[in-house]
Amino acid sequence: MRKIPTAILGAGGWIGQHFARLLADHPWFEPPLLVGGERTQGRTLEEIWQIPEEGPPGPIARDRLTTASPAALERAGIRVAFSALPGDKASLLETELARRGIAVFSNASAHRMDPRVPLLIPEVNPRHLGLLHPRPGRGFIVTNTNCSAAGLLLALKPLRDRFPVERVYVTTYQALSGAGFPGVPSLAIGDNVVPYIPEEETKMEEETRKVLGSLRGNGIRPLALRVIANCARVATREGHLEAVTLPGKYPEEGDILRAWKDFHPLQEGKEPALPTAPLDPVLVHPAPDRPQPLPDRWAGVPHRARGMAVTVGRLRVDPDGIRFYLLVHNAVRGGAGGSVLNAELAVREGLLGEVV
Ligand SMILES: NC(=O)c1ccc[n+]([C@@H]2O[C@H](COP(=O)([O-])OP(=O)(O)OC[C@H]3O[C@@H](n4cnc5c(N)ncnc54)[C@H](OP(=O)(O)O)[C@@H]3O)[C@@H](O)[C@H]2O)c1
């Protein structure tokens, strides 16, 4: 198969750099054209690089961020645009790209609740891509969820497949990078916790219901699930920790652990079915003080899927319900990696007219 030409919009931002890391040597996608905003245009990727665990990816480290309109991207033959744009810019730009025949995989919230747009997590609701059929080769928008909702949904899905989950209480401890670069002022967050992230709680509640909803004709019927979220910003760098309570009658601990451990919707034999899919999307950590952001945020194998697994732990079962913690890498599974996985599923489903 010929590799598919791609671009990253907002390549200089936090999510944009994670996209660059994942796409520089992707087996199905060409190394991306890097489209930046006012601050980063004209600079090389290595000049603006911010991810401390890894250097800028070799094949594109010296590429300069450029400016490009949707018309210019269409003329350049770009087939897939990965969007790391701020929400206010994403709304019109992504619509225009899709109108020009480009497949847009977006992190922005602008189109998430649009009834015609799949809000996708391949392990959870792959059938929602059906909203786009039949249109191989045409433009469209697929979004991923809010970063905290992504972790919650991966932990919930195997439980909901086996047990009647009726109500979800979730409290988040969200990392600084969730606010992008440069993010929260250091004097506001150092020695502090901020119990307010604009619109975050509503996004978690609405998006969870849409993702778990059912495909009906041309739309998604949201699941009638009560989700009650409290979201706080804490002074960690990457990785959102979430405390989850599911009230109700649940079976014993072993059955719940088995539901998570047996959850492998994207495995073919012993291999991941898509290049960026983790072998185990939900990992159970047995230690009493895990998961934690620092040691657990890069969870996931194979190497290309690091940061794509959600770690759960501290499961407690009692007669009134269950409680557990989860940890999700906000910028990988909850951000760029989630979008890349969405694009891989779309390619595999023939939505780009290519056969893999
Ligand atoms: N951070 C997370 O954990 C996370 C997780 C899930 C979803 N998201 C969403 O993903 C999007 C990106 O988030 P982020 O955290 O990466 O924010 P960010 O660090 O602020 O990055 C946004 C980037 O967009 C660029 N930009 C602005 N206007 C542009 C334009 N017209 N053309 C091209 N680039 C443009 C900016 O470029 P300059 O720097 O050059 O001005 C900036 O680098 C947001 O919609 C956010 O809500 C973020």
Side-chain angles (χ1 to χ4, degrees):
M1 174 192 131
R2 265 190 57 225
K3 288 195 181 184
I4 300 169
T6 65
I8 302 172
L9 309 182
W14 199 267
I15 296 293
Q17 292 182 34
H18 275 283
F19 269 133
R21 194 178 60 70
L22 288 159
L23 293 168
D25 61 351
H26 194 283
W28 299 353
F29 301 119
E30 281 184 10
L33 180 75
L34 306 173
V35 182
E38 285 174 10
R39 181 181 65 89
T40 52
Q41 273 170 27
R43 302 174 71 190
T44 64
L45 192 59
E46 66 185 1
E47 282 169 358
I48 58 158
W49 195 253
Q50 293 286 340
I51 301 171
E53 289 91 343
E54 291 183 28
I60 55 173
R62 301 228 162 115
D63 288 8
R64 284 187 192 283
L65 277 71
T66 174
T67 168
S69 65
L73 293 173
E74 183 188 6
R75 278 196 302 276
I78 297 300
R79 298 280 315 284
V80 172
F82 291 96
S83 170
L85 292 168
D88 57 335
K89 303 275 175 55
S91 183
L92 288 179
L93 274 172
E94 291 176 357
T95 304
E96 181 58 13
L97 286 161
R99 200 186 64 75
R100 289 177 177 277
I102 293 173
V104 181
F105 293 90
S106 176
N107 273 257
S109 59
H111 296 286
R112 284 183 196 150
M113 297 309 290
D114 182 330
R116 294 155 303 175
V117 170
L119 179 59
L120 191 67
I121 300 178
E123 293 95 334
V124 178
N125 61 337
R127 292 169 60 182
H128 288 197
L129 265 189
L131 281 175
L132 304 177
H133 283 293
R135 60 165 86 183
R138 302 249 307 272
F140 55 80
I141 300 171
V142 171
T143 60
N144 48 354
T145 67
N146 161 281
C147 37
S148 300
L152 178 66
L153 278 155
L154 276 162
L156 274 186
K157 169 70 175 163
L159 304 184
R160 227 191 75 73
D161 285 348
R162 298 185 185 203
F163 319 119
V165 178
E166 281 164 10
R167 191 174 277 250
V168 179
Y169 293 96
V170 56
T171 300
T172 67
Y173 310 72
Q174 298 188 207
L176 297 172
S177 61
F181 186 82
V184 189
S186 57
L187 286 177
I189 193 71
D191 192 25
N192 204 9
V193 173
V194 180
Y196 175 60
I197 305 175
E199 295 175 34
E200 196 77 356
E201 290 156 0
T202 310
K203 285 179 188 169
M204 280 194 83
E205 293 165 10
E206 289 180 345
E207 293 176 18
T208 300
R209 285 194 287 269
K210 180 173 175 182
V211 171
L212 293 176
S214 44
L215 180 63
R216 294 283 156 89
N218 291 332
I220 303 293
R221 183 189 291 173
L223 183 72
L225 173 72
R226 191 85 174 91
V227 182
I228 298 115
N230 284 290
C231 298
R233 184 76 68 202
V234 301
T236 48
R237 193 178 165 94
E238 290 190 300
H240 293 351
L241 186 68
E242 304 180 25
V244 183
T245 301
L246 307 179
K249 299 285 170 222
Y250 282 85
E252 59 190 32
E253 187 176 319
D255 294 326
I256 293 162
L257 295 176
R258 205 164 308 114
W260 281 325
K261 288 178 179 169
D262 290 350
F263 183 62
H264 299 116
L266 289 181
Q267 248 185 50
E268 279 170 3
K270 290 193 169 13
E271 300 295 320
L274 300 171
T276 309
L279 271 174
D280 295 293
V282 181
L283 292 164
V284 178
H285 205 295
D289 60 351
R290 300 283 280 277
Q292 297 176 12
L294 196 55
D296 296 317
R297 60 190 166 210
W298 286 101
V301 290
H303 188 66
R304 153 162 283 286
R306 60 201 185 282
M308 290 294 285
V310 167
T311 305
V312 297
R314 293 214 59 221
L315 174 65
R316 285 142 293 155
V317 182
D318 64 41
D320 299 321
I322 63 173
R323 289 172 286 162
F324 60 90
Y325 279 85
L326 70 88
L327 193 282
V328 58
H329 196 311
N330 55 295
V332 184
R333 172 53 87 158
S339 275
V340 171
L341 194 62
N342 287 349
E344 291 169 358
L345 182 67
V347 170
R348 178 55 64 85
E349 293 287 310
L351 283 163
L352 284 124
E354 311 277 339
V355 181
V356 178

